[in-house]
Amino acid sequence: MQTQILERMESEVRTYSRSFPVVFTKAQNARLTDEDGREYIDFLAGAGTLNYGHNNPKIKQALLDYLAEDNIIHGLDFWTAAKRRYLQALEEIILKPRGLDYKVQFPGPTGTNAVEAAIRLARNAKKRHNIVTFTNGFHGVTMGALATTGNRKFREATGGVPTVGGSFLPYDGYLGDGTDTLDYFEKLLSDKSGGLDVPAGVIVETVQGEGGINACGLDWLKRLEQICRAHDILLIVDDIQAGCGRTGKFFSFEHAGVVPDIVTNSKSLSGLGLPFSQVLMRPELDIWKPGQYNGTFRGFALAFTTAAAAIENYWTDDSFAKEVQRKGDIVSERFARIAAWISEQGIEASERGRGLMRGIDVGSGEIADKITHKAFENGLVIETSGQDGEVVKCLCPLTIPEEDLQKGLDILEQSAKQALS
Ligand SMILES: *Cc1c(COP(=O)(O)O)cnc(C)c1O
């Protein structure tokens, strides 16, 4: 495999190609193929960007049809038939059946673009600067979003410019099982000398993806919503990774029955891996003045088309959501078994997550890397997350055939045994 030019020219900032140093050429659903024709099961799926699998035929066909007809590919934020089709699908199939009423902003196409827009909107709506965020939260790496991202690796790479505007509080479980971390938040809000500037908003992931597959309790999330309501603080759910079906519901917050004021989506939103993001906001929060927040790629017609096709094909009833929950149970059971075996070797390990967003915490990045490197040798693409990369995570396509799911789990189990015994 010819990799010289890739190694020579691409910046040292590259990451995933270090874990998987092959040239990938083709992909279909949950399988990747490299240039030598070797096949891999994909449990990374673009870090949760390929919920509907690689080259999903139904979604791709919508794109091919759209391209074949000389439709608008780029039009700034023009009205296009593609945008109309997407908004119709979003409203009719996703929002209305869930009793949700949101207006939609299309910022730039990445997740961090959506987070930047969401927190700026919250600040302008509440005329307050502070955004409360949580330990191990990941919300993107541009300056505004970075102020709400916990990981020092990113925070220390600003050339010394401080990241401002975010206040970190302990996420659910951060202080151990016996402590409800929201007691601390409530106390700070009610204590005039607690030192916390009353925030405009709270930004939270219901399952922390990059932070280690930490799923907050549903009661904790409900209580967070109540605290926000009681103190006139906006609740922002960052559903960029946990949304679009990953946890077994379209929006991850549906499990708790909360209704965020603002929601961010990206990663799997386009359905095909095209760059696309959105901010959903309660209608009365839409205080933007025309053009006050702009960008060249505000809504991407090809992504509107594929995102509409994804919604139309997978979300008109609950069969897909049920399938995700069922597969999530399979992964959970097997992960628990693998974690138990690892624990028997004297390395404390445990399983966690929600839906098909699951991880095995093995306590150290070194051990997790041993397992994922061995897994890659054995034909499985799987990554780690958490502050030290100590969690082996499964973000396989939601559409993965059960056979491939079992095969991927078999490879992982066998790889853990080879790497650690
Ligand atoms: C990936 C991610 C982001 C950032 O998205 P980018 O497209 O990488 O900018 C923000 N929040 C969450 C929860 C994410 O998983």
Side-chain angles (χ1 to χ4, degrees):
M1 243 179 276
Q2 218 225 58
T3 58
Q4 293 92 323
I5 190 166
L6 297 161
E7 289 178 51
R8 190 173 72 242
M9 286 194 73
E10 191 179 5
S11 160
E12 293 306 316
V13 79
R14 69 192 175 85
T15 50
Y16 291 108
S17 57
R18 297 175 192 278
S19 310
F20 313 112
V22 299
V23 179
F24 291 105
T25 48
K26 308 260 185 208
Q28 177 45 237
N29 204 352
R31 287 184 182 230
L32 281 160
T33 309
D34 74 17
E35 212 167 36
D36 291 343
R38 183 149 191 244
E39 272 201 328
Y40 306 83
I41 306 267
D42 188 2
F43 271 18
L44 175 58
T49 303
L50 295 158
N51 282 4
Y52 308 93
H54 291 272
N55 283 296
N56 183 298
K58 292 178 196 152
I59 300 174
K60 190 157 88 172
Q61 194 56 48
L63 176 64
L64 293 172
D65 293 345
Y66 190 85
L67 284 170
E69 292 160 359
D70 271 353
N71 288 304
I72 299 288
I73 291 177
H74 177 82
L76 298 169
D77 70 348
F78 287 176
W79 280 341
T80 59
K83 184 187 284 183
R84 186 175 55 205
R85 175 179 170 189
Y86 172 67
L87 288 173
Q88 276 168 347
L90 179 69
E91 181 172 62
E92 291 301 321
I93 301 170
I94 301 296
L95 299 181
K96 271 194 189 161
R98 291 166 177 77
L100 297 170
D101 183 17
Y102 288 123
K103 288 188 78 178
V104 191
Q105 177 182 0
F106 302 109
T110 68
T112 201
N113 293 150
V115 170
E116 291 281 341
I119 62 184
R120 191 167 307 174
L121 181 71
R123 286 172 175 147
N124 283 316
K126 291 297 168 198
K127 304 281 178 255
R128 299 178 213 136
H129 73 276
N130 198 19
I131 302 289
V132 157
T133 178
F134 292 98
T135 49
N136 288 303
F138 181 86
H139 301 290
V141 299
T142 53
M143 284 306 274
L146 184 58
T148 64
T149 288
N151 197 311
R152 258 180 226 151
K153 176 175 75 180
F154 304 116
R155 296 175 65 83
E156 288 177 351
T158 66
V161 177
T163 52
V164 293
S167 297
F168 284 86
L169 290 180
Y171 191 69
D172 191 22
Y174 192 69
L175 300 172
D177 280 348
T179 306
D180 186 338
T181 57
L182 290 175
D183 289 345
Y184 179 50
F185 186 24
E186 259 202 322
K187 176 88 185 179
L188 287 176
L189 287 169
S190 63
D191 180 349
K192 292 194 188 71
S193 75
L196 181 75
D197 294 329
V198 176
V202 171
I203 187 162
V204 64
E205 294 164 89
T206 69
V207 184
Q208 295 183 319
E210 300 307 299
I213 316 293
N214 310 308
C216 74
L218 301 180
D219 288 337
W220 186 89
L221 193 61
K222 271 188 218 157
R223 185 175 173 207
L224 180 63
E225 182 190 45
Q226 284 161 7
I227 294 171
C228 287
R229 299 275 176 269
H231 294 268
D232 187 34
I233 297 163
L234 297 173
L235 177 64
I236 307 167
V237 170
D238 180 350
D239 232 8
I240 287 171
Q241 189 163 153
C244 302
R246 176 56 57 184
T247 66
K249 304 245 183 223
F250 186 84
F251 295 111
S252 70
F253 52 82
E254 288 176 56
H255 295 280
V258 304
V259 180
D261 299 293
I262 301 175
V263 181
T264 54
N265 294 113
S266 182
K267 289 208 165 80
S268 265
L269 186 60
S270 78
L272 197 68
L274 301 178
F276 186 43
S277 81
Q278 71 183 9
V279 179
L280 304 177
M281 63 194 86
R282 280 199 291 108
E284 60 274 29
L285 288 174
D286 186 20
I287 55 162
W288 290 118
K289 305 226 171 20
Q292 200 179 27
Y293 197 92
N294 73 2
T296 306
F297 297 106
R298 268 175 301 151
F300 175 30
L302 302 184
F304 282 137
T305 304
T306 54
I311 291 174
E312 292 159 5
N313 275 291
Y314 287 93
W315 294 100
T316 51
D317 62 33
D318 65 359
S319 55
F320 184 55
K322 285 200 169 128
E323 182 189 322
V324 175
Q325 289 171 13
R326 190 176 57 77
K327 288 176 187 167
D329 291 342
I330 294 174
V331 176
S332 170
E333 237 170 75
R334 183 70 82 90
F335 271 22
R337 207 164 92 193
I338 298 172
W341 181 85
I342 295 172
S343 297
E344 282 166 23
Q345 313 311 303
I347 301 161
E348 205 180 309
S350 57
E351 178 287 324
R352 61 177 178 245
R354 188 169 289 136
L356 269 175
M357 193 167 180
R358 309 213 76 94
I360 306 173
D361 186 343
V362 298
S364 98
E366 210 180 309
I367 295 168
D369 280 347
K370 271 194 198 163
I371 298 171
T372 56
H373 288 168
K374 185 53 82 180
F376 186 59
E377 278 175 36
N378 291 331
L380 176 69
V381 169
I382 187 165
E383 258 292 358
T384 61
S385 80
Q387 52 129 350
D388 184 38
E390 71 282 14
V391 180
V392 178
K393 69 180 176 185
C394 172
L395 291 172
C396 64
L398 309 181
T399 52
I400 189 170
E402 205 165 314
E403 213 185 298
D404 282 4
L405 181 62
Q406 297 291 1
K407 182 162 179 216
L409 291 168
D410 289 347
I411 294 175
L412 185 67
E413 186 165 354
Q414 177 203 352
S415 304
K417 290 184 175 167
Q418 289 170 344
L420 305 180
S421 55

